[in-house]
Amino acid sequence: MYQFDKRIVMTLDAGGTNFVFSAIRSNEEIVEPIVLPSNGDNLEKCLETMVTGFSTIKLKLPEDPVAISFAFPGPADYVNGIIGDLKNLPAFQGGVALGAFLRNKFGIPVFINNDGDLFAYGEALAGALPEVNRMLRDAGKNKVYKNLIGITLGTGFGGGVVRDGELFLGDNGAAAEVWVLRDKRQPIYGVEEGISIRAIKREYARLSGDTRQLTPKEIFEIAEGNLEGNPVAAKRAFDHAGEVLGEAIASMNAVVDGIVVIGGGIIAAHKYLMPAVMRELNGTLEMYEGAPADRMEMKAFFLDDPGDCAAFLAPTSRCIVVPGTTETVEYDPVKRMGVITTKLGTSRAIAFGAYAFALNELDK
């Protein structure tokens, strides 16, 4: 929706080791990004790094930026731009008014969100959501999806919700903090203990007895037979993570009812992850009297799979007669929920989300 907007927004990709500064106009990065060490253990140096990074980017721009907008780790009061106690940037403790600090330095509005929220927003405006609606339109269907759940799989388990074009932040700025959902397989733990980088590494080591320090990508290569290791254990590690993820998605979609898009590095292993996700989504619950009930109101389809995608787009509507008349109305008895992997790439979606969020807030 902002692809022709000429306003410029400065952005930041904030990692525990490095900060990457850039600027976006018309949904495109318009400068070569600048990478600086985060100095995350020293607040004064870290803040100096931010001022240096944004100042350097600003000098490269053809005109003044209208805002700064970026994702930053939490816990945080994102609405007010205050960062709480961080693990990977330990200099931030006790509440740091980062938004106000940058606003005072640069004299423009500053918007801070978490990466899950901005990922969801970017995919809703320029990625998965318009892509799914295009597919439906091309198939001759009148259905239009307006809601989206975004999920990021990486060091943690992040999420965001977009409802009818608006990012849903909640009354405390804490909507879609999905990491506090329970791990289905071990309910005493939070869900990211079952679906994250550390979870897959831990599960593979437990199942295989392999003591090497492996990444999920290496575990995927073991599953593929391209790297020495236990392929059965590797596949089971992803399958177990998929089971946990599927239950989390089902819980989220029971409230939101929309398209689900998944990003983050782990989704590259969707070949071994998604079968378990889809089994969970299309599984059943037990009732006390013994009768099974569908886990979700909707039938779930993995839209990256050609067969599932065709079924998602297949016509199932029929005409029914209005009682007491000869009038007919169209009725589709099949409620559908599509699951799709990122169409923009995770980092690009977050950047688009940050850009669009700033402009949307300025336009209000």
Side-chain angles (χ1 to χ4, degrees):
M1 62 187 292
Y2 293 110
Q3 61 181 320
F4 302 113
D5 198 304
K6 296 304 181 183
R7 289 174 290 180
I8 299 171
V9 175
M10 294 195 295
T11 64
L12 165 65
D13 181 1
T17 303
N18 293 313
F19 286 166
V20 184
F21 301 86
S22 189
I24 296 176
R25 179 173 62 186
S26 305
N27 279 353
E28 295 291 339
E29 197 170 55
I30 61 170
V31 295
E32 185 69 25
I34 295 170
V35 181
L36 297 174
S38 63
N39 296 304
D41 58 350
N42 184 309
L43 183 59
E44 183 177 352
K45 287 185 177 180
C46 186
L47 296 177
E48 287 177 359
T49 297
M50 290 190 184
V51 173
T52 299
F54 283 126
S55 297
T56 306
I57 289 291
K58 186 177 179 181
L59 290 173
K60 295 183 173 188
L61 300 178
E63 58 190 69
D64 287 343
V66 297
I68 292 171
S69 183
F70 58 94
F72 207 76
D77 175 357
Y78 288 111
V79 173
N80 294 305
I82 299 172
I83 308 302
D85 299 345
L86 305 189
K87 293 181 180 179
N88 62 340
L89 294 167
F92 289 84
Q93 299 291 316
V96 177
L98 180 59
F101 169 78
L102 292 172
R103 185 170 63 249
N104 290 339
K105 288 290 184 180
F106 292 95
I108 55 178
V110 177
F111 304 100
I112 307 174
N113 288 283
N114 70 40
D115 56 357
D117 285 332
L118 295 181
F119 170 75
Y121 201 45
E123 289 286 350
L125 297 182
L129 195 59
E131 172 65 11
V132 170
N133 285 328
R134 181 200 61 78
M135 292 162 54
L136 290 164
R137 186 170 59 251
D138 290 350
K141 300 179 77 71
N142 294 324
K143 178 74 172 179
V144 176
Y145 285 85
K146 298 180 179 180
N147 305 316
L148 175 138
I149 295 168
I151 291 172
T152 55
L153 306 176
T155 305
F157 180 80
V161 170
V162 178
R163 180 182 178 275
D164 198 12
E166 289 288 331
L167 182 60
F168 181 63
L169 297 175
D171 290 332
N172 292 289
E177 290 288 348
V178 294
W179 68 274
V180 297
L181 293 171
R182 291 186 183 274
D183 180 336
K184 179 206 173 186
R185 302 182 77 242
Q186 295 181 291
I188 64 169
Y189 297 114
V191 68
E192 71 179 26
E193 295 300 333
I195 173 63
S196 59
I197 289 172
R198 64 183 180 275
I200 291 168
K201 292 166 64 175
R202 184 180 62 244
E203 188 71 359
Y204 173 72
R206 184 185 72 82
L207 292 169
S208 67
D210 192 333
T211 58
R212 291 177 293 171
Q213 295 299 311
L214 299 167
T215 66
K217 184 178 186 300
E218 289 169 329
I219 295 169
F220 173 78
E221 293 299 331
I222 291 170
E224 292 281 271
N226 299 328
L227 188 67
E228 182 181 352
N230 185 328
V232 173
K235 293 173 184 178
R236 286 179 63 193
F238 285 113
D239 190 77
H240 290 174
E243 181 181 350
V244 175
L245 176 58
E247 170 61 24
I249 291 174
S251 297
M252 296 164 66
N253 208 60
V255 177
V256 176
D257 182 13
I259 294 296
V260 175
V261 58
I262 308 174
I266 294 173
I267 199 58
H270 63 76
K271 175 179 180 180
Y272 299 114
L273 189 71
M274 291 306 297
V277 171
M278 303 312 293
R279 285 198 305 270
E280 285 296 306
L281 296 179
N282 292 317
T284 58
L285 301 171
E286 293 294 328
M287 310 300 285
Y288 269 111
E289 66 270 19
D294 290 340
R295 176 65 184 85
M296 297 199 312
E297 281 281 317
M298 291 76 72
K299 168 74 174 172
F301 301 86
F302 181 41
L303 301 183
D304 290 34
D305 177 84
D308 258 20
C309 188
F312 178 78
L313 298 173
T316 54
S317 298
R318 65 176 188 265
C319 288
I320 59 172
V321 177
V322 177
T325 75
T326 58
E327 181 185 352
T328 62
V329 294
E330 188 175 354
Y331 168 54
D332 189 346
V334 181
K335 298 178 182 179
R336 295 170 170 84
M337 184 264 275
V339 183
I340 192 168
T341 61
T342 174
K343 299 297 104 179
L344 295 172
T346 306
S347 294
R348 195 162 175 242
I350 292 170
F352 280 8
Y355 175 70
F357 183 83
L359 297 187
N360 188 49
E361 290 297 303
L362 291 174
D363 289 342
K364 287 182 177 178

